[in-house]
């Protein structure tokens, strides 16, 4: 780790230290004959629970500026900042610090802000950063927390990293080639202008003039737009699409297996949820496979997902606790349905975090981390939970974005002033995510039992994302249900969402680092692989919008294929501009990881 | 803060003002120090992209303020050059009862056919008792949207039909 790229390329971001100023470099190399720089500071690092690390020679010391006796800055009007010289421990306020450095140089330029534990170069007049120093500070903070016996639960086994392997492209051997030629025939790509034509065989990728593969309308079977919209998004979810188009779940093979199993268990099993009329157990993955075949067949007339609806109702009749089905509920129900079938078949472990159980979890399952911290002693309790998507609250109040307005002043005046005034007051996806990962003070009626204090204390809760799924789905909570008024209302507020999204600031590693003051330190749980920085970049590929009211509303999906946007409104597929998508009222958003990585398989047979 | 400029200049209020100023300065320096660290360490590397996305969104909303495109999309020709009726008119067999059903009416039919909806239960009570013994559906209807929004006696587009089952009224076409 001797050289580091500039921050903008994002390499090894968690350990990046800017190049030191000459004075800091001098201090480090000389270190006044000490074995380690900053060693004199270490015993002076004081950490209070939930507080910042401070520099105090004695625990109750009140530092004062030697020349002017200002304590926390009163007399000189320079504000409450005090710097302790690293060389001689002389304490100065900002007014006197430069003269101290000047008089005593060389060697007395570097000082430390006693209240913030930040290094300051009095000669350069700027805050400076050093990895060794930060490490000392973080270790002091961790030691202080450990004194409270904070027992964060260890990472579940399912999350332990498997080593990464290089992608090996598959090429068929001669026998496989022969099989492919014998058992398959090329799909006929119909003429774009005449969907009913037989068309010519097209072995290359579709030409720019003809619509992309897999684009096909879905007939509305009677208020089933909630199902159609989710199906369109799933049909074009890249890892899911690749899985089914690679025949990884062949419905004919699966049906045979189910039949054999049923016969083997001695005839009709009577009625149960998966087997309502004593027939074959329902397999939603098979029914989804059938839809993939239909939609990617090249036929452009709208497809009726009737059989899928039938199967899903057979599966979901147990979900009668929901009065109304909405698109998000259908999405979750469908993924659960795919999961349940696989689970029953292969007795895979329930653990969904690493997605080994089924394709639905492999694609959509992530892991959320929840930290609850006692405000009195700082004891933190950590839990991990799998999630299929992230539900975000949409503030009905003004939600200001965190775009700093300082930047706009630097650019061409008027345009940016107008821009920033328009920006304020707009809800954004990143704003929602920031709120989602913000430390939240729990209500006093939700006091958390602190294992250290042994009583219920007020606490802070903070969520973060421990593991990102391949495809991150966001659900915007637009339907507010009031149990008091016994009615629901829809929040129509516009939500801005980006086409490219970097999830890094919401990861557990980032949240944890910010909790420790963004120090340069390799925290526990940080993936050491440099490439992980790229793994947090996502691209939008599907937007499900809802228009209208709760009682009478309509779902529509916008799909991004080859960077073109298509509106899928039941049976009607139209090409739309980017602007229309940006302007739409998002209800569900689907982002896919830009770069995929492969982990060594744990399954010995799959090589 | 120009607290020293207000009328009251007693030592006590001066002290209080200075105290407040110190607190305020402390907070400002806190934020400055934290932002300085974030900027220097490159932890805000995506600021440019974020601002660009916001700018594009603002542009998009200005360019297309109305959602009129949503309203009349049903009358257009789609990218395959096809038009479609408001109610899908493809006909296929119901996989539960075998009858030929119009696609656009399939869901309400299936609801009654499978004995799911509340209305279905009331109408054909005796015939669904046997079926509900096997299924685990609870009395609360999952399919309320259908029974609320589409009265089984009326098509969604407002035309009236007979009070009998729907496929008897709309055998092979949309009224």
């Amino acid at each position: 780790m001797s050289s580091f790229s500039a921050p903008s390329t994002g390499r090894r971001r968690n350990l990046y230290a800017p190049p030191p100023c000459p004075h800091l470099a001098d201090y480090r190399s000389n270190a006044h004959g000490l074995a380690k720089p900053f060693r004199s500071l270490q015993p002076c690092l004081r950490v209070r629970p939930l507080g910042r690390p401070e520099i105090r020679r004695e625990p109750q010391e009140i530092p004062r500026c030697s020349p002017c006796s200002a304590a926390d800055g009163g007399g000189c009007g320079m504000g409450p900042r005090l710097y302790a010289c690293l060389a001689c421990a002389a304490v100065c306020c900002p007014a006197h610090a430069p003269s101290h450095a000047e008089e005593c140089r060389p060697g007395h330029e570097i000082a430390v802000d006693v209240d913030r534990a930040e290094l300051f170069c009095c000669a350069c007049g700027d805050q400076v950063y050093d990895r060794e120093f930060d490490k000392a500070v973080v270790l002091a903070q961790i030691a202080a927390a450990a004194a409270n016996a904070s027992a964060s639960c260890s990472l579940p086994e399912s999350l332990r990293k498997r080593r990464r392997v290089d992608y090996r492209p598959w090429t068929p051997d001669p026998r496989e080639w022969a099989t492919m030629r014998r058992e398959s025939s090329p799909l006929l790509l119909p003429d774009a202008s005449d969907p009913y034509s037989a068309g010519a065989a097209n072995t290359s990728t579709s030409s720019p003039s003809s619509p992309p593969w897999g684009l096909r309308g879905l007939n509305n079977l009677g208020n089933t737009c909630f199902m159609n919209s989710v199906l369109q998004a799933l049909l074009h979810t890249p890892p899911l699409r690749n899985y089914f188009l690679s025949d990884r779940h062949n419905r004919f093979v699966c049906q045979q297996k189910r039949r054999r199993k049923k016969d083997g268990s001695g005839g009709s099993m009577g009625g149960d949820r998966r087997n309502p009329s004593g027939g074959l157990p329902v397999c939603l993955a098979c029914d989804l496979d059938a839809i993939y075949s239909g939609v990617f067949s090249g036929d452009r007339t709208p497809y009726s997902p009737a059989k899928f609806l039938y199967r899903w109702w057979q599966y979901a009749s147990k979900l009668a606790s929901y009065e109304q089905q909405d698109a998000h509920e259908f999405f979750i129900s469908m993924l659960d349905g795919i999961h349940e079938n696989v689970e029953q078949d292969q007795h895979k472990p329930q653990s969904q975090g690493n997605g080994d159980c089924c394709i639905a979890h492999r694609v959509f399952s992530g892991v959320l981390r929840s930290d609850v911290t006692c405000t009195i002693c700082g004891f933190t309790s950590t839990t991990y939970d799998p999630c299929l998507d992230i539900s975000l609250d949409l503030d009905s109040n003004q939600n200001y974005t965190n775009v700093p307005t300082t930047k706009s002043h630097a650019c061409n005046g008027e345009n940016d002033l107008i821009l920033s005034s328009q920006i304020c007051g707009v809800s954004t996806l990143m704003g929602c995510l920031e709120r989602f990962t913000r430390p939240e003070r729990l209500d006093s009626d939700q006091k958390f039992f602190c294992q250290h204090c042994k009583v219920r204390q007020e606490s802070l809760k903070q969520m973060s994302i421990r593991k990102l799924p391949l495809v991150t789905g966001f659900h915007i909570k637009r339907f507010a249900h009031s149990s008091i008024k016994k009615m629901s209302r829809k929040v129509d507020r516009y939500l801005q969402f980006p086409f490219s999204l970097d999830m890094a600031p919401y990861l557990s590693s980032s949240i944890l680092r910010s909790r420790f003051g963004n120090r340069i330190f390799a925290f526990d749980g940080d993936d050491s692989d440099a490439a992980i920085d790229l793994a947090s970049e996502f691209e939008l590929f599907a937007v499900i919008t809802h228009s209208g009211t709760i009682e009478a509303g309509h779902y529509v999906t916008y799909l991004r294929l080859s960077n073109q946007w298509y509106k899928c409104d039941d049976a009607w597929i139209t090409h739309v501009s980017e602007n229309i998508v940006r302007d739409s009222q998002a209800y569900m958003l689907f982002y896919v990881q830009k770069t995929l990585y492969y982990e060594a398989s744990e399954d010995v047979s799959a090589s | 803060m120009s607290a020293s400029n207000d009328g009251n200049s007693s030592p006590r209020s001066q002290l209080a003002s200075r105290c407040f100023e110190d607190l305020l300065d402390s907070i400002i320096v806190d934020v400055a120090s934290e932002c300085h660290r974030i900027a220097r360490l490159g932890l805000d590397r995506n600021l440019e992209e974020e601002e660009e996305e916001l700018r594009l969104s603002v542009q998009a909303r200005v360019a297309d303020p109305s959602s009129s495109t949503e309203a009349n999309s049903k009358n257009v020709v789609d990218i395959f050059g096809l038009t479609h009726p408001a109610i899908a008119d493809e006909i296929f067999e119901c996989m539960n009862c075998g009858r030929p059903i119009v696609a656009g009416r399939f869901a309400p039919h299936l609801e009654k056919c499978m004995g799911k909806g509340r209305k279905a239960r009331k109408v054909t009570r005796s015939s669904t008792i046997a079926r509900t013994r096997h299924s685990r559906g609870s009395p609360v209807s999952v399919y309320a949207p259908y029974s609320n929004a589409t009265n089984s006696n009326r098509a969604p587009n407002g035309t009236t039909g007979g009070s009998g089952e729907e496929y008897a009224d709309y055998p092979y076409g949309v009224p």
Side-chain angles (χ1 to χ4, degrees):
Chain A
M1 289 189 288
S2 51
S3 67
F4 289 86
S5 334
S8 57
T9 64
R11 294 251 232 113
R12 308 307 299 259
R13 181 179 44 197
N14 54 340
L15 285 178
Y16 172 77
C21 72
H23 314 101
L24 181 61
D26 267 346
Y27 175 83
R28 282 194 57 90
S29 53
N30 298 338
H32 295 271
L34 294 173
K36 277 185 180 181
F38 311 115
R39 217 172 115 202
S40 52
L41 274 182
Q42 265 166 319
C44 304
L45 279 166
R46 316 277 173 188
V47 183
R48 279 172 295 148
L50 291 185
R52 280 187 311 216
E54 295 172 335
I55 308 287
R56 297 284 188 271
R57 274 171 295 195
E58 302 299 323
Q60 302 306 321
E61 177 195 10
I62 298 174
R64 285 181 183 281
C65 171
S66 341
C68 67
S69 298
D72 285 348
C76 310
M78 286 289 283
R81 259 181 300 159
L82 288 172
Y83 295 106
C85 174
L86 286 188
C88 67
V91 177
C92 299
C93 70
H96 294 110
S99 43
H100 172 86
E102 185 78 15
E103 284 158 14
C104 308
R105 69 172 152 133
H108 289 244
E109 294 90 356
I110 306 297
V112 63
D113 181 330
V114 299
D115 287 324
R116 294 174 187 87
E118 291 281 17
L119 294 175
F120 188 81
C121 175
C122 302
C124 301
D126 201 7
Q127 194 162 287
V128 291
Y129 304 96
D130 183 272
R131 193 179 304 115
E132 293 276 342
F133 177 72
D134 275 358
K135 182 174 173 182
V137 173
V138 172
L139 288 177
Q141 286 175 299
I142 290 176
N148 289 336
S150 76
S152 56
C153 80
S154 56
L155 217 51
E157 193 146 325
S158 56
L159 285 183
R160 289 212 292 260
K161 275 179 55 68
R162 300 201 286 263
R163 64 185 171 85
R164 291 197 191 276
V165 293
D166 284 335
Y167 171 65
R168 280 173 299 146
W170 170 79
T171 47
D173 62 27
R175 212 167 62 101
E176 282 161 337
W177 267 120
T179 309
M180 278 176 8
R181 272 195 218 99
R182 201 174 52 236
E183 308 286 349
S184 66
S185 51
L187 282 173
L188 301 180
L189 183 63
D191 194 349
S193 56
D194 178 12
Y196 298 103
S197 74
N202 185 354
T203 50
S204 62
T205 52
S206 48
S207 58
S209 53
S210 58
W213 279 107
L215 209 51
R216 193 172 173 190
L218 296 174
N219 277 327
N220 186 316
L221 306 174
N223 279 334
T224 59
C225 57
F226 73 90
M227 179 178 78
N228 287 349
S229 55
V230 172
L231 282 177
Q232 288 285 15
L234 293 179
L235 285 168
H236 295 275
T237 296
L240 203 63
R241 176 203 65 203
N242 296 347
Y243 179 85
F244 281 97
L245 290 185
S246 317
D247 211 26
R248 297 288 297 276
H249 187 101
N250 183 307
R251 60 187 179 278
F252 305 108
V253 168
C254 180
Q255 206 175 51
Q256 277 184 335
K257 267 197 242 168
R258 283 183 280 143
R259 191 163 285 136
R260 248 180 275 131
K261 202 174 176 193
K262 178 197 160 193
D263 293 342
S265 68
S268 164
M269 297 189 278
D272 69 5
R273 172 163 56 84
R274 293 189 60 230
N275 202 354
S277 45
L280 280 183
V282 168
C283 175
L284 283 183
C286 283
D287 303 302
L288 189 58
D289 186 49
I291 300 184
Y292 271 102
S293 293
V295 163
F296 281 83
S297 65
D299 185 352
R300 301 299 198 175
T301 59
Y303 179 88
S304 293
K307 183 129 189 231
F308 186 85
L309 180 69
Y310 175 61
R311 293 282 189 227
W312 178 62
W313 281 6
Q314 284 183 313
Y315 166 75
S317 62
K318 193 177 160 200
L319 296 179
S321 55
Y322 296 117
E323 287 281 332
Q324 296 209 358
Q325 289 293 338
D326 85 338
H328 177 246
E329 286 170 342
F330 170 72
F331 170 69
I332 299 293
S333 161
M334 199 174 139
L335 294 187
D336 280 341
I338 293 173
H339 169 78
E340 286 224 6
N341 172 73
V342 173
E343 196 205 4
Q344 296 230 358
D345 273 350
Q346 291 158 19
H347 309 285
K348 280 264 170 77
Q350 259 291 342
S351 123
Q352 301 162 356
N354 59 355
D356 274 348
C357 49
C358 66
I359 183 62
H361 284 103
R362 180 75 188 92
V363 175
F364 290 101
S365 182
V367 178
L368 289 180
R369 170 179 168 147
S370 167
D371 292 318
V372 182
T373 307
C374 173
T375 52
I376 307 300
C377 71
F379 174 80
T380 304
S381 161
T382 304
T383 51
Y384 295 97
D385 288 301
C387 65
L388 282 173
D389 65 358
I390 299 177
S391 285
L392 297 170
D393 281 304
L394 189 59
D395 246 2
S396 49
N397 306 320
Q398 293 289 350
N399 179 30
Y400 292 85
T401 68
N402 46 1
V403 173
T405 49
T406 48
K407 209 171 187 298
S408 57
H409 295 183
C411 313
N412 6 325
E414 255 202 65
N415 256 353
D416 291 276
L417 285 177
I418 295 169
L419 191 64
S420 35
S421 65
Q422 277 178 313
I423 287 173
C424 285
V426 174
S427 291
T428 64
L429 180 69
M430 301 191 75
C432 290
L433 278 169
E434 200 233 311
R435 227 182 17 257
F436 180 74
T437 54
R438 191 180 287 177
E440 182 197 326
R441 193 167 275 266
L442 296 180
D443 290 337
S444 48
D445 54 349
Q446 284 176 295
K447 278 189 187 164
F448 155 76
F449 182 80
C450 174
Q451 289 185 24
H452 185 250
C453 302
K454 302 292 187 210
V455 288
R456 286 193 176 273
Q457 302 280 23
E458 291 215 353
S459 45
L460 287 174
K461 178 174 167 182
Q462 189 168 30
M463 303 290 303
S464 56
I465 303 171
R466 173 57 184 86
K467 177 175 168 283
L468 287 166
L470 279 180
V471 174
T472 308
F474 294 109
H475 165 232
I476 311 299
K477 295 199 237 174
R478 289 188 178 278
F479 299 112
H481 301 283
S482 164
S483 49
I484 307 159
K485 294 185 193 171
K486 293 246 186 287
M487 58 182 244
S488 312
R489 64 177 184 91
K490 185 187 169 199
V491 181
D492 266 314
R493 192 173 163 78
Y494 171 73
L495 178 80
Q496 184 274 341
F497 52 91
F499 281 15
S500 295
L501 177 65
D502 186 357
M503 295 288 287
Y506 317 110
L507 292 177
S508 297
S509 52
S510 303
I511 296 294
L512 200 64
R513 182 171 315 117
S514 74
R515 213 183 282 161
F516 281 85
N518 284 319
R519 301 279 169 177
I520 306 164
F521 185 77
F523 285 93
D524 219 22
D526 261 1
D527 291 304
S528 51
D529 198 339
I532 201 67
D533 286 342
L534 295 172
S536 63
E537 292 182 3
F538 284 75
E539 281 294 316
L540 180 70
F541 67 90
V543 181
I544 297 181
T545 66
H546 182 273
S547 51
T549 62
I550 288 185
E551 300 84 22
H554 187 53
Y555 291 101
V556 158
T557 303
Y558 292 100
L559 289 178
R560 186 188 197 181
L561 302 166
S562 308
N563 219 24
Q564 299 294 310
W565 283 95
Y566 299 91
K567 178 181 179 181
C568 305
D569 182 352
D570 287 326
W572 290 264
I573 309 282
T574 47
H575 184 277
V576 292
S577 76
E578 215 183 82
N579 284 347
I580 289 183
V581 181
R582 284 192 192 275
D583 190 28
S584 65
Q585 198 190 87
Y587 178 57
M588 292 181 74
L589 295 159
F590 293 92
Y591 289 83
V592 65
Q593 254 188 35
K594 263 170 102 157
T595 331
L596 295 179
Y597 293 92
Y598 294 86
E599 288 168 348
S601 171
E602 282 182 348
D603 182 8
V604 179
S605 61
S607 50
Chain B
M1 278 281 295
S2 53
S4 49
N5 287 346
D6 64 15
N8 198 343
S9 56
S10 75
R12 176 180 273 171
S13 66
Q14 271 183 3
L15 257 174
S17 298
R18 192 182 306 156
C19 214
F20 176 79
E21 283 174 36
D22 283 353
L23 280 171
L24 189 60
D25 282 348
S26 186
I27 291 168
I28 292 172
V29 171
D30 281 349
V31 174
S33 173
E34 286 164 18
C35 289
H36 189 280
R37 175 177 270 274
I38 287 171
R40 234 359 119 71
L41 263 47
L43 297 176
D44 63 345
R45 64 190 184 129
N46 287 321
L47 211 52
E48 307 264 337
E49 284 92 346
E50 285 173 36
E51 292 192 342
E52 177 64 12
E53 291 277 1
L54 275 169
R55 192 186 62 79
L56 286 171
S57 279
V58 168
Q59 239 177 27
R61 301 195 77 197
V62 165
D64 185 59
S66 69
S67 50
S68 58
T69 45
E70 301 276 358
N72 50 18
S73 60
K74 304 270 178 170
N75 299 328
V76 302
V77 170
D78 67 18
I79 55 170
F80 311 120
L82 303 174
T83 52
H84 313 284
I87 296 175
D89 55 4
E90 182 190 349
I91 297 184
F92 44 76
E93 263 184 32
C94 169
M95 51 288 307
N96 205 40
C97 64
R99 288 202 179 100
I101 309 290
V102 171
R105 304 243 185 275
F106 181 66
H109 158 78
L110 193 63
E111 185 186 12
K112 288 200 298 257
C113 192
M114 287 172 77
K116 295 285 182 203
R118 245 190 312 211
K119 274 202 182 299
R121 287 223 170 80
K122 281 187 188 151
V123 167
T124 55
R125 203 181 173 77
S126 53
S127 64
T128 53
I129 280 177
R131 224 179 273 147
T132 50
R133 214 184 286 135
H134 286 298
S135 88
R136 292 252 219 97
S138 93
V140 177
S141 168
V142 186
Y143 315 106
Y146 309 111
S147 42
N148 287 341
T150 60
N151 185 311
S152 58
N153 291 333
R154 292 183 49 203
N157 60 6
T159 61
T160 56
S163 56
E165 278 121 22
E166 292 162 354
Y167 35 84
D169 285 317
Y170 307 117
Y172 296 104
V174 182

